[in-house]
Amino acid sequence: MKPKLLEWTKAALLEVQEYVHMIALFGRALVTRPMYPRDIVEQFEAVGIGSMTVVLLTGMFTGMVLALNSGFTLDQFGARSMIGRLVSASMVRELGPVLTGLMVAGRVGSGIAAELGSMMVTDQIAALRALGTDPIRKLVVPRILAGLLMVPLLTVLSGGVGMVGGWIVTVLQFHVAGSVYWNSVIAGLYIQDVWMGLIKPFFLGFTIVSIGCHVGLRTRGGTQGVGRATTNAVVASSVAVIAVDFLVTKLLIVLIY
Amino acid sequence: MSSHPAARPDLLDEALAHGGPIVVFDKINLSFDDKVILRDVSFTLQTGHTKIFLGASGAGKSTILRLILGLLKPDSGTIFVNGERVDNMSEEQLMAVRADLGMVFQEGALFDSLSVRENVGYKLFEELQWPLDAANKRVAEVLGFIGLAEFIDRMPSELSGGQRRRVAIARAMAAKPRILLYDEPTTGLDPITSITVDEEIIKLRDLENVSSVLVTHQLRDAFYVAEHTAIRQAQQLTFKKAEQHKASEAEFIMLKDGRIAFEGNAQELRAISEADPYIEAFLS
């Protein structure tokens, strides 16, 4: 039992070391040449535009179900007019960033791990290095930049459509006037909430994409290895989204509230 | 096709002219965990010559190519490529050394998302920043050289196994490297296609003075590359049996358990096989 635990600990520490090493190389590649602008634009499109549908649908239905559930509870206290307050606070502070993060982890994190993993097992990464290209600059930098900048934008969209979804349910199901709902939405939001909703996704986007890249570049063992890498990337980045969300929320509560 | 992108000082250029030591391995040792891959491996590849590595699977043949490229570092020993010591170089320094190296990977390792033109011209477009016209011209030229000019706009998935290997050779030679490394370039190919790939290797060696390291366990291909020569006369290209002095420019190295079990030309390999049961078993 003991040697197995020791082996597991060693493997885990090695993974952490390699992850930190990759992040350090990313930091260096970010401020030195060469850069690959065409790849950066391509990744912005793949991560941002490619994830838009799934994020919009998730945001919309989350807002709708939030309004529906909270509406019935608030109705018992004669507080239907407060639905907007609840929807906006929940979507902007917590559900928007986390659900967007989870959706991007499922769609983008897995895609990156599978793509880079396939490139690893078919020697395409070695071929890149042989041709004089640094895979960190060519593959990792564009993806992490796309994650860093597109996840916050997707989160804003998700929060926005979530509130629209809440509005539809509030008006159609609970017969509350639209103006009352939107006034409640604005009344429920504080500037600190907006900051929290905007800052968190940067950390989440970075975490999801960097885990996808790390797992992809560590893939071994043919097509089976690619499958394993894809699963690992989704599981690890989904757990990391929740954990990072907690840590960043804790930090921001201390710093800005 | 005579000028090379990687400039060398004149003195080094003179030292590494035809017959000079372009790749040197000195007492290289390498292990992965407890498994010893290479033990005390030393050899010299001379400019314009060919080294052919033979050996059982897992004998460390492909590892040698990765060490030359700097994709792996030895545990001990020194490696010189093109007059520069590469075993202690950083990844950034190695990029400059790799400018003069081309590698053909086992399955071609073509980039799936790029067309044949983009694959072949990758280094010219992305790394060397050649003007677009010059790069396109060079891509057309090397595709013509390997006889695949009409496939320029195809995707790798639309090519046969043999065509993929030949495109991989075109990609490796596009930037006019002085050294080409071939990792099992004919494995899994039918005999006719294998000969086509072998002839590309011979053409590059004899017509372009490219030094080559060939890793294979296809004996027929190894002997074909070692014992044939390419001659161009009045735009006519022919392959014929090489004379003894030319054939001896191709040296075989047989690896066994990470050590060099034999080093010599084709004739010597055949001669020793009668006395050495391992080599005899391998050659039969």
Side-chain angles (χ1 to χ4, degrees):
Chain A
M1 195 67 189
K2 265 188 179 172
K4 263 193 176 173
L5 182 70
L6 188 70
E7 232 167 71
W8 184 90
T9 313
K10 269 164 94 178
L13 285 174
L14 180 69
E15 285 302 318
V16 173
Q17 176 191 299
E18 291 298 313
Y19 178 75
V20 172
H21 184 228
M22 188 196 79
I23 298 302
L25 292 176
F26 162 75
R28 192 154 163 261
L30 205 56
V31 292
T32 52
R33 285 175 172 234
M35 294 284 260
Y36 297 90
R38 207 180 59 184
D39 295 87
I40 294 174
V41 173
E42 271 176 20
Q43 288 307 316
F44 271 51
E45 193 196 339
V47 174
I49 310 290
S51 308
M52 205 179 275
T53 312
V54 68
V55 165
L56 288 179
L57 285 172
T58 312
M60 169 75 85
F61 284 114
T62 305
M64 288 170 92
V65 82
L66 255 180
L68 206 56
N69 274 328
S70 57
F72 280 115
T73 310
L74 290 170
D75 206 19
Q76 293 169 18
F77 304 98
R80 281 184 189 190
S81 57
M82 307 292 273
I83 297 174
R85 191 180 275 255
L86 212 139
V87 170
S88 65
S90 309
M91 284 305 294
V92 170
R93 284 182 62 160
E94 195 57 46
L95 290 176
V98 170
L99 289 176
T100 304
L102 289 174
M103 288 301 117
V104 173
R107 193 192 163 275
V108 176
S110 61
I112 289 173
E115 187 185 1
L116 300 193
S118 304
M119 290 181 78
M120 273 304 287
V121 300
T122 55
D123 268 341
Q124 289 179 55
I125 302 279
L128 269 182
R129 290 173 68 197
L131 287 162
T133 298
D134 179 355
I136 298 287
R137 293 176 190 277
K138 175 85 177 161
L139 302 171
V140 176
V141 169
R143 282 165 178 76
I144 294 187
L145 280 181
L148 261 175
L149 298 177
M150 296 317 285
V151 173
L153 283 177
L154 290 168
T155 303
V156 170
L157 282 176
S158 168
V161 296
M163 284 186 260
V164 171
W167 167 68
I168 293 169
V169 170
T170 309
V171 170
L172 297 181
Q173 177 83 36
F174 297 104
H175 308 293
V176 173
S179 57
V180 173
Y181 172 82
W182 289 114
N183 274 331
S184 170
V185 162
I186 291 163
L189 280 181
Y190 294 90
I191 190 69
Q192 289 92 336
D193 298 334
V194 177
W195 278 121
M196 183 173 277
L198 286 176
I199 292 170
K200 263 198 238 179
F202 282 99
F203 288 91
L204 299 181
F206 177 82
T207 306
I208 295 161
V209 179
S210 59
I211 288 177
C213 289
H214 167 72
V215 174
L217 291 176
R218 299 271 298 158
T219 304
R220 303 282 182 278
T223 46
Q224 214 177 15
V226 176
R228 229 177 4 247
T230 311
T231 311
N232 289 346
V234 175
V235 172
S237 51
S238 300
V239 174
V241 162
I242 311 288
V244 169
D245 176 53
F246 167 73
L247 294 172
V248 176
T249 304
K250 181 97 180 133
L251 182 74
L252 290 178
I253 284 174
V254 173
L255 291 178
I256 62 176
Y257 279 89
Chain B
M1 300 259 303
S2 56
S3 65
H4 293 278
R8 288 190 305 212
D10 289 345
L11 265 176
L12 186 61
D13 225 20
E14 201 179 311
L16 298 181
H18 194 88
I22 197 156
V23 175
V24 179
F25 268 47
D26 187 23
K27 294 181 179 148
I28 293 297
N29 288 286
L30 177 70
S31 306
F32 293 140
D33 296 325
D34 295 334
K35 189 171 164 38
V36 178
I37 308 294
L38 297 174
R39 277 175 221 260
D40 230 14
V41 170
S42 301
F43 68 86
T44 301
L45 169 69
Q46 291 166 295
T47 304
H49 290 204
T50 307
K51 280 274 183 229
I52 302 171
F53 283 86
L54 300 174
S57 296
K61 307 185 296 291
S62 299
T63 305
I64 285 180
L65 299 186
R66 284 167 195 261
L67 284 166
I68 295 174
L69 270 171
L71 299 179
L72 288 174
K73 302 265 182 214
D75 296 334
S76 64
T78 48
I79 302 172
F80 287 88
V81 176
N82 235 337
E84 298 205 59
R85 187 174 168 183
V86 298
D87 57 276
N88 57 0
M89 275 187 176
S90 68
E91 184 73 10
E92 210 164 291
Q93 291 169 316
L94 280 166
M95 292 298 177
V97 175
R98 288 174 191 154
D100 219 1
L101 288 164
M103 167 110 175
V104 179
F105 285 86
Q106 219 169 72
E107 300 291 333
L110 299 179
F111 304 126
D112 299 328
S113 55
L114 305 182
S115 67
V116 167
R117 185 184 79 89
E118 292 164 327
N119 261 289
V120 173
Y122 178 86
K123 197 167 183 170
L124 314 180
F125 297 128
E126 294 278 345
E127 298 304 328
L128 302 175
Q129 311 288 329
W130 279 30
L132 202 58
D133 283 350
N136 281 328
K137 197 173 154 212
R138 175 67 184 156
V139 170
E141 187 184 14
V142 288
L143 281 173
F145 186 83
I146 58 153
L148 288 177
E150 68 274 27
F151 292 86
I152 191 161
D153 291 319
R154 297 259 183 106
M155 295 303 284
S157 57
E158 298 171 290
L159 303 176
S160 70
Q163 287 164 345
R164 289 171 70 94
R165 305 290 168 90
R166 284 156 70 197
V167 171
I169 293 176
R171 182 176 69 180
M173 67 181 276
K176 306 178 186 177
R178 292 182 177 92
I179 306 163
L180 270 173
L181 315 172
Y182 304 92
D183 191 1
E184 311 260 12
T186 56
T187 300
L189 299 182
D190 63 84
I192 311 253
T193 314
S194 295
I195 293 290
T196 321
V197 173
D198 295 339
E199 287 176 348
E200 300 306 335
I201 299 171
I202 297 169
K203 267 159 68 181
L204 284 165
R205 181 192 63 200
D206 296 346
L207 306 179
E208 307 293 333
N209 197 33
V210 172
S211 315
S212 7
V213 181
L214 169 65
V215 160
T216 185
H217 38 230
Q218 309 288 316
L219 290 171
R220 207 191 47 135
D221 297 315
F223 281 105
Y224 189 87
V225 170
E227 296 180 320
H228 283 78
T229 186
I231 296 164
R232 196 192 293 277
Q233 279 174 324
Q235 299 297 312
Q236 192 70 33
L237 183 68
T238 51
F239 294 91
K240 62 172 201 172
K241 195 93 175 156
E243 294 187 7
Q244 186 48 42
H245 78 277
K246 179 70 186 167
S248 63
E249 289 186 359
E251 276 198 319
F252 287 81
I253 291 183
M254 181 158 295
L255 292 175
K256 183 186 172 190
D257 300 329
R259 287 182 193 279
I260 293 181
F262 166 82
E263 186 171 6
N265 61 35
Q267 208 175 17
E268 289 163 345
L269 181 63
R270 284 200 182 94
I272 202 171
S273 71
E274 289 160 21
D276 188 319
Y278 178 78
I279 297 176
E280 188 187 13
F282 200 89
L283 293 190
S284 61

